[in-house]
Amino acid sequence: MKTITTLACTAAMTAGAAFADGHTQNWDMPMAYSATNFHSEQGVMFAERVKEYTNGAINITVHPGGSLFGGGDIKRAVQTGQVPIGERFMSAHANEAPLLGWDNLPFLATTYADNSKLWEAARDTVNAQLADLNLVALYTCPWPGQGFYFNKEVNSSADTQGIKFRSYNSATATFAEELGMIPVQVEAAELSQALATGVASAFISSGSTGYDRKVWEHLSHYYKVNAWLPRNYVIVNSQSWDALDDATRAGMQKAADETGAACAAKSEELAEFYFAELAKNGMTVEDAGPKFLAELKTIGEKMTADWLETAGADGQAIIDAYNN
Ligand code: PCA
């Protein structure tokens, strides 16, 4: 028994010796979305895998729901090393780095398989962009397809004029304006309050966020548009990453690869469940009507053209690689 204990201690010390001082590193990981959301639950599983695959060298504590840093502050916190790691919605950063809007192109890649193909096409370019921002992406994970929430029936832009619309990035603000709506940017964590106080009465998102925020308390209609499947990403500060030894980095990457795959599968598995829950709670959940959809497609083309103007040749290369 004593021998076993001694062996276990030696193994633990060897693992701890991944760092010169022999200590475990404790990493706080802010995440932007609610604790019960699948992204956050997968983040917790990622932390468990990291502990296992780095032999305890890295101990990640997940802080979901914007509790440590609000969603809008997480990227900067990681960039500046206030925290070594964090999770956020990638295209929220497209105003600063247009390439990061690669997953917001309306109607380009609307299935999980196509979305994954698009990420493969974008990955190297996006990672190069992230390196310029002092960031390393460990894994990304798609939200289910995006559609529109309203508090009334909507058949075309004639019904959307003047509505206050909660947007989550600059592309969705543009989308709103094209539909005659007034965009206001609100974090998912503050969405229920924004709907309750009339700051917004419509938004674009997946069934997932509507379910998390119980939006049936305020809104009545969800139109499945499946315009795109945007991604969250888990990012690490470049210096924190470079300071790790090779074995620890490899252990973290293995944990990230497994979690990225599991998270995408979970997202796909839950997509229909969310719609069923919205309906069960009294919402009308249906496909956007032909007139509304045709308008959305026209706006989508304009948005893609706008993105290509800002993302330039790198953006075009992503689309070309995807189409080939
Ligand atoms: N939910 C997040 C981003 C995309 C989604 O489906 C949100 O609405 O903020």
Side-chain angles (χ1 to χ4, degrees), residues 33 89 143 146 166 168 188 204-206 209 230:
Y33 302 91
F89 187 54
W143 290 91
Q146 305 294 292
R166 174 265 178 172
Y168 55 52
I204 187 169
S205 196
S206 59
T209 293

Side-chain angles (χ1 to χ4, degrees), residues 215-276:
V215 300
W216 48 80
E217 290 174 1
H218 311 287
L219 305 180
S220 55
H221 286 69
Y222 183 74
Y223 292 101
K224 298 194 234 177
V225 174
N226 204 23
W228 57 80
L229 286 74
R231 289 191 174 222
N232 283 2
Y233 60 164
V234 168
I235 41 182
V236 176
N237 173 279
S238 293
Q239 283 76 43
S240 303
W241 184 246
D242 292 342
L244 300 176
D245 61 46
D246 288 349
T248 304
R249 264 200 303 268
M252 284 194 77
Q253 192 57 60
K254 177 169 145 77
D257 292 347
E258 285 182 19
T259 310
C263 188
K266 197 48 150 180
S267 176
E268 185 164 14
E269 179 193 320
L270 287 171
E272 287 302 320
F273 162 83
Y274 291 131
F275 291 150

